[in-house]
């Protein structure tokens, strides 16, 4: 029997503070009805002033380790996908390793924005199949509220904070990661970006991370164009990953998409001809949490007790870059 990468633990964390559409509509010129209709979002979670991305990651990781019945000492490598690291360096992964009480094993960040977790799973799977690691802690964690311009209604309604994590184990046994497809096209980069030192921030000056301040690296987006390309590329990539691994649309039991906008989700589900209820929807509860979005959706599905051993999961994401991709998994966790 050959070795495969199996998900053996799943976890998620959303910070306590909730920012509802109603409250947001007292901050910028918007309404609950507009946000719900155009995006499906009803609320987002915002991290506390004394929390950082690593703190969210640690909570999700603890739950995933606990779920796997493992401790940090059992882990061989730690990857954090994040767009909002605690600092420029060291990596958030090294901070998370320290906060979890781990030492010695490699830890690093990857940055593929909202596709970070899908990219990270593909990377970890490749390294594990190559025999480099037996157990990897893979986390997606974001503090999007720290880079959002809270005065820009076009973007601030869309994002939230959170973290999701899985423990991966390379072992014999049926199922596990089937494979992945990844893409990037940098010619689209200016349609969605957060330039460093935006909004007059001067190097060396203290950064105001409060929600009263316009974001330090505020998000700029051509929403319509992002929407159009996202729908098209996601439709293509789900077909591509299924073809690559010899599966049909009808073989997919659960679609676990990046949670950006309910209309993007529905468009992909329609292309997949997914039965109602077979696509995970959490965007209403926590908005777009970038690289935390896919593992948070997976955690939601898992905690509902909905996934049966042997079922096929299709994870997909589309992000700034543009970077997009998909992972196929045959569920092997009992
Ligand atoms: N409240 C009220 N009105 C608003 C708001 C708001 N929060 N934001 C924009 N508007 C206004 C606009 O100013 C515009 O007004 P105008 O016609 O007078 O100029 C009007 O609403 C319509 O704006 P559109 O941009 O055409 O609205 P659209 O239906 O495209 O929805 C949205 C905008 C939600 C941003 C959509 O384009 C979208 O979701 N795009 C994808 C962006 C995304 O998800 N990015 C995240 C990262 S990438 C990813 O994760 C896929």
């Amino acid at each position: 029997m050959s070795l495969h990468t199996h998900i053996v633990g799943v976890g998620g964390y959303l910070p306590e503070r909730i920012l509802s559409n109603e409250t947001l509509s007292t901050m910028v010129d918007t309404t609950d009805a507009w946000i719900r209709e155009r995006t499906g979002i009803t609320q987002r979670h915002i991290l506390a002033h004394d929390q950082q991305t690593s703190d969210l990651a640690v909570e999700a990781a603890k739950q995933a380790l606990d779920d796997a019945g493992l401790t940090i000492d059992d882990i061989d490598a730690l990857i954090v996908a994040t767009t909002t690291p605690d600092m420029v360096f060291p990596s958030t992964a090294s901070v998370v390793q320290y906060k979890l009480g781990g030492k010695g094993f490699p830890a690093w960040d990857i940055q593929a924005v909202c596709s970070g977790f899908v990219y990270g799973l593909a990377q970890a799977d490749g390294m594990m199949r190559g025999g480099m690691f037996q157990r990897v802690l893979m986390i997606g964690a974001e503090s999007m509220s720290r880079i959002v311009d809270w005065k820009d209604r076009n973007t601030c309604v869309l994002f939230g904070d959170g973290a999701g994590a899985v423990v991966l184990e390379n072992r014999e046994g049926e199922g596990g990661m089937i494979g992945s497809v990844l893409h990037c096209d940098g010619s689209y980069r200016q349609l969605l970006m957060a330039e460093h030192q935006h909004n007059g921030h001067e190097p060396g000056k203290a950064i105001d991370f409060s929600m009263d301040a316009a974001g330090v690296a505020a998000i700029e987006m051509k929403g319509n164009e992002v929407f159009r390309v996202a729908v098209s590329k996601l439709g293509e990539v789900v077909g591509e990953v299924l073809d690559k691994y010899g599966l049909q649309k009808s073989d997919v039991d659960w679609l676990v998409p990046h949670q950006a906008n309910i209309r993007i989700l529905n468009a992909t589900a329609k292309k997949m001809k997914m039965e109602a209820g077979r696509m995970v929807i959490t965007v209403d509860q926590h908005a777009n949490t970038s690289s935390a979005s896919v593992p948070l959706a997976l955690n939601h599905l898992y905690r509902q007790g909905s996934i049966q051993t042997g079922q096929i999961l299709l994870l997909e994401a589309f992000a700034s870059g543009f970077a997009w991709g998909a992972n196929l998994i045959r569920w092997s966790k009992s």
Side-chain angles (χ1 to χ4, degrees), residues 80-284:
V80 176
T82 188
T83 312
T84 47
D86 285 13
M87 49 194 127
V88 176
F89 64 83
S91 69
T92 302
S94 68
V95 181
V96 172
Q97 184 198 52
Y98 170 76
K99 288 182 176 173
L100 286 170
K103 213 176 201 170
F105 58 80
W108 67 96
D109 290 0
I110 64 164
Q111 156 63 307
V113 207
C114 307
S115 295
F117 189 82
V118 167
Y119 264 59
L121 262 193
Q123 183 186 42
D125 182 35
M127 295 176 100
M128 293 172 85
R129 281 176 203 244
M132 203 159 170
F133 306 116
Q134 199 203 345
R135 290 200 189 105
V136 174
L137 179 54
M138 174 70 229
I139 307 170
E142 300 284 8
S143 315
M144 297 305 284
S145 65
R146 301 249 161 107
I147 61 165
V148 159
D149 180 347
W150 289 103
K151 294 178 175 66
D152 177 13
R153 71 173 184 176
N154 291 295
T155 51
C156 75
V157 301
L158 301 174
F159 296 96
D161 304 332
V166 294
V167 179
L168 302 167
E169 188 171 88
N170 187 23
R171 58 170 165 76
E172 288 186 347
E174 292 301 316
M177 291 282 298
I178 297 169
S180 305
V181 163
L182 303 176
H183 289 286
C184 181
D185 184 344
S187 66
Y188 290 112
R189 69 197 180 283
Q190 281 163 335
L191 294 182
L192 178 55
M193 56 198 273
E195 256 185 298
H196 194 53
Q197 294 170 8
H198 186 68
N199 289 339
H201 174 64
E202 288 169 34
K205 265 198 174 175
I207 296 171
D208 182 356
F209 275 144
S210 73
M211 278 180 54
D212 301 330
V216 175
I219 297 164
E220 297 169 62
M221 180 180 69
K222 302 260 188 304
N224 277 322
E225 291 167 66
V226 175
F227 189 97
R228 188 177 49 76
V229 185
V231 169
S232 151
K233 296 295 183 197
L234 286 170
E236 282 170 27
V237 83
V238 294
E240 185 186 353
V241 77
L242 289 169
D243 280 354
K244 184 172 174 187
Y245 296 102
L247 292 169
Q248 309 292 320
K249 288 174 182 163
S250 55
D251 293 325
V252 177
D253 295 291
W254 297 105
L255 182 60
V256 187
H258 167 48
Q259 308 285 319
N261 180 318
I262 191 69
R263 293 185 292 144
I264 298 177
L265 271 69
N266 286 338
T268 311
K270 198 172 164 196
K271 285 190 180 166
M272 292 274 303
K273 298 193 171 71
M274 289 302 289
E275 271 174 45
R278 289 284 169 179
M279 173 174 70
V280 188
I281 301 171
T282 54
V283 67
D284 55 326

Side-chain angles (χ1 to χ4, degrees), residues 296-319:
L296 276 170
L298 178 65
N299 186 51
H300 176 79
L301 183 67
Y302 172 66
R303 305 255 155 214
Q304 278 184 330
S306 305
I307 320 173
Q308 306 297 313
T309 304
Q311 286 189 325
I312 303 274
L313 277 65
L314 199 165
L315 281 46
E316 46 90 333
F318 182 86

